[in-house]
Amino acid sequence: MDNFTNFITEQKNTHMTHIEDKVLYGGVNGTRQAINALRELRDMLAGKHSGSVSVKWDGAPAIFAGTDPRDGKFFVAKKGIFNKNPKVYKTKADVDADTSGDLNAKLNAALEELPALGIKGVIQGDFLFGPGDLSNQKIDGESYLTFHPNTIVYAVPLNSVAAKNIRRSRIGIVWHTTYKGRSFETMKASYGVNVATFKNAPKVWSQDAMLRDMTSATMSKKETEDVTAILSNAGKIFNQISGSTLRQLEANGELAQEIEQFNNTFVRKGTVIGDSKRHTAACIRFIQNKYKKEAAKRKTDKGKRAQMQKLEAKMQFFSARNKKSLELMFELQKLIVMAKLKLINKLNQLKSIDTFVKTRKGFKVTGEEGYVAIDKLGGDAVKLVDRMEFSYNNFSPDILKGWDKPTRN
C-alpha cells in the first residue's frame, strides 16, 4: 500500500497542499496517497496502529534557525533561506538592513535568544509571540493570557503555570520541521523536531507541535464505520476517474491551480461545492472569463490575441471524457473533505490551549488551524484543515487578524 510518500520528506516545507487538492495536483499516485493517508489516520484514531499527529499552529511569520553549514555560524531566516542566494541573518545589522516594524523586532529577538537553545542543524517553526504581543483578556467571563499571531487567538488561563512560563518569555515559537544537508540548496526536510535536545532557555517558550496523548480522541466503532463508508465510496469513485485526466492535470500545474482558485471562491464564502456537473460548467466559465478579462486589459491586438490563444490552449483539456472525470474528481474531493472533517472533529478533543477568533463584537470559539498526520516512520505528512471554518475566518473581513496592528509591516 502506498502511504504518505512524497508529501513532505525530502522537500522544502514552505508550503503543504491541502489533502483534497492532491486530487488536482498529485495525479494517480497523489490521489491514492491522499485516500490512504485518511485510512491510516482513521486506523490510528481507532487504535489499530501507532502514528504521529501534530497541530498546525496558526503562527506567523515562519522562522528558520540553526547553524549555517557554510561557515558554522548561528543564523535566523525567513523563507528566503532557500533562495538561489540564501538570505540568512547572523547579526542585528543583517536584520535591520532587510526588515522593519514587527518583523524586525521578532527576528532580532530570535537572533538574541535562540542561541541559548543549543540548536543542532537547521529547524523550522512559526512565531507565536514576540516582544509586546502578550495581553490579558477576559473572554466569556474567564481571564486569559492571550497571543494573536495570525487569525487565531490563543488563550491560556491567566493564573496557570503555562501562563506564568509564557509571561516570563520574550518569544514563543512552535517547531515542526528538521533539515539536514551540507548546503541550504541540498537540504532534505523531515517532519518533527526533537526539542528534548534543547537546552533550557527561560526567555524562549519553545515546543514542538506533536500531540503526545491521543487516547482521549479514540474513535468509537460507529465513528470508525462512518469514516470507512465514506472512504469506501471515495475508492469507488477514484476507480471511475480516467487516469489520463489525472495525469494531464498533474502535468499542467497552471490549469490545476486555476481549478483550485475556482474552488477557493466557495471556501472564501463559506459554502460547499454543490452539484458536480454544474460545478464543472461553472469552473469552465470561470477560466474563460479570466482570460477574456485579461484580453480586455491589453491595449494591442497582439496582446489580446495572446490571451485568447492561452484560453484556447486551456479549453483543449475539457474534452467530454475529461469533463466527466473532472465531475468525478469534484465528487471525490467532497468525500475526502467529509472524511477529513470527521477526523478533525475527533482531534479537536485534544486541544491543550483555548482558541478563539476576534470579531468586532467580541471573541468566538474556533478550532485549531488544522493538523498534520505523519506516518509511523515519522517522516512523510499530509495537512488536514477545516477550510470551512479556518479558511473562511482567514479570508473574512469580519474576523480581526493579528496582523491588523500599526507595527505589522
Side-chain angles (χ1 to χ4, degrees):
M1 176 188 290
D2 291 339
N3 54 17
F4 301 167
T5 306
N6 294 329
F7 274 90
I8 181 172
T9 296
E10 298 190 353
Q11 300 175 23
K12 304 296 190 293
N13 184 18
T14 54
H15 174 75
M16 291 180 69
T17 301
H18 290 281
I19 190 168
E20 62 270 24
D21 288 335
K22 293 300 293 183
V23 177
L24 297 177
Y25 293 104
V28 174
N29 288 336
T31 303
R32 183 180 295 116
Q33 289 162 353
I35 295 171
N36 287 338
L38 291 172
R39 287 173 178 161
E40 290 193 27
L41 183 55
R42 171 206 60 192
D43 291 346
M44 193 187 308
L45 289 173
K48 293 184 179 179
H49 69 71
S50 61
S52 300
V53 176
S54 71
V55 178
K56 264 190 69 60
W57 289 71
D58 184 34
I63 182 169
F64 298 77
T67 303
D68 187 332
R70 299 170 297 184
D71 60 14
K73 293 182 179 179
F74 182 84
F75 74 90
V76 297
K78 302 179 293 180
K79 291 182 180 180
I81 185 176
F82 297 124
N83 290 351
K84 185 175 181 181
N85 295 311
K87 182 180 288 188
V88 299
Y89 311 114
K90 299 175 183 177
T91 67
K92 185 178 187 301
D94 291 341
V95 176
D96 292 346
D98 193 53
T99 65
S100 60
D102 183 78
L103 178 60
N104 177 273
K106 281 183 169 62
L107 290 175
N108 269 317
L111 189 61
E112 293 170 13
E113 305 297 345
L114 290 181
L117 292 177
I119 296 168
K120 304 296 183 184
V122 176
I123 58 177
Q124 178 185 353
D126 292 298
F127 253 105
L128 297 179
F129 61 86
D133 284 342
L134 300 176
S135 63
N136 296 341
Q137 298 278 354
K138 185 155 281 192
I139 305 174
D140 296 335
E142 297 289 331
S143 296
Y144 289 101
L145 180 66
T146 66
F147 44 96
H148 189 187
N150 215 341
T151 299
I152 293 175
V153 177
Y154 293 97
V156 181
L158 192 59
N159 295 320
S160 65
V161 173
K164 180 181 178 181
N165 291 335
I166 291 171
R167 192 181 290 108
R168 72 177 182 176
S169 303
R170 190 177 174 202
I171 58 175
I173 299 174
V174 60
W175 304 105
H176 52 70
T177 306
T178 298
Y179 292 88
K180 293 182 179 179
R182 295 184 177 181
S183 70
F184 292 127
E185 295 84 354
T186 60
M187 280 185 174
K188 307 300 182 184
S190 61
Y191 214 89
V193 174
N194 185 8
V195 296
T197 63
F198 290 174
K199 297 176 182 178
N200 183 42
K203 291 188 178 181
V204 181
W205 189 73
S206 175
Q207 62 182 69
D208 66 15
M210 302 306 298
L211 292 174
R212 299 298 176 198
D213 182 4
M214 295 177 59
T215 55
S216 61
T218 302
M219 292 198 303
S220 68
K221 181 181 178 181
K222 175 65 166 57
E223 289 168 331
T224 304
E225 288 173 348
D226 288 345
V227 174
T228 298
I230 295 169
L231 293 178
S232 177
N233 285 335
K236 291 175 183 176
I237 289 178
F238 175 42
N239 288 332
Q240 297 174 44
I241 298 171
S242 168
S244 66
T245 303
L246 290 167
R247 286 189 288 272
Q248 285 178 59
L249 272 182
E250 183 182 18
N252 192 341
E254 185 176 77
L255 178 58
Q257 186 177 46
E258 288 167 346
I259 295 171
E260 182 193 2
Q261 287 170 350
F262 173 68
N263 287 344
N264 285 345
T265 63
F266 289 78
V267 173
R268 293 185 185 210
K269 292 185 291 187
T271 58
V272 297
I273 294 174
D275 179 81
S276 293
K277 194 167 188 177
R278 288 198 296 268
H279 192 77
T280 300
C283 179
I284 294 171
R285 290 195 300 272
F286 174 85
I287 295 171
Q288 289 173 330
N289 290 336
K290 173 185 173 180
Y291 285 95
K292 287 177 181 177
K293 288 178 181 177
E294 287 299 319
K297 293 178 185 177
R298 300 304 188 267
K299 296 181 179 180
T300 66
D301 289 340
K302 181 180 179 181
K304 294 179 186 295
R305 280 197 304 273
Q307 294 301 313
M308 297 311 293
Q309 286 169 356
K310 287 182 181 180
L311 173 58
E312 184 179 347
K314 291 290 172 65
M315 287 300 103
Q316 290 178 5
F317 168 81
F318 295 101
S319 64
R321 181 177 65 177
N322 281 353
K323 282 197 285 188
K324 180 59 180 176
S325 286
L326 192 56
E327 292 167 14
L328 291 168
M329 288 168 67
F330 288 140
E331 287 296 323
L332 178 55
Q333 284 188 305
K334 287 194 284 187
L335 289 170
I336 288 175
V337 169
M338 286 174 62
K340 176 184 75 169
L341 292 179
K342 285 184 176 292
L343 297 170
I344 286 174
N345 286 338
K346 293 303 295 184
L347 290 169
N348 277 341
Q349 296 177 10
L350 298 170
K351 280 204 307 183
S352 60
I353 292 181
D354 291 336
T355 51
F356 302 88
V357 288
K358 188 176 182 180
T359 73
R360 288 175 176 80
K361 296 180 180 179
F363 292 90
K364 183 174 70 173
V365 174
T366 191
E368 300 281 8
E369 176 188 343
Y371 299 90
V372 176
I374 306 164
D375 74 2
K376 47 197 169 190
L377 298 178
D380 308 316
V382 292
K383 178 171 71 172
L384 298 94
V385 175
D386 182 350
R387 299 173 79 184
M388 290 301 294
E389 179 176 58
F390 177 76
S391 297
Y392 173 75
N393 288 337
N394 198 30
F395 290 121
S396 173
D398 299 324
I399 304 299
L400 302 179
K401 312 301 191 296
W403 61 78
D404 292 330
K405 300 196 313 185
T407 55
R408 289 285 177 97
N409 52 27

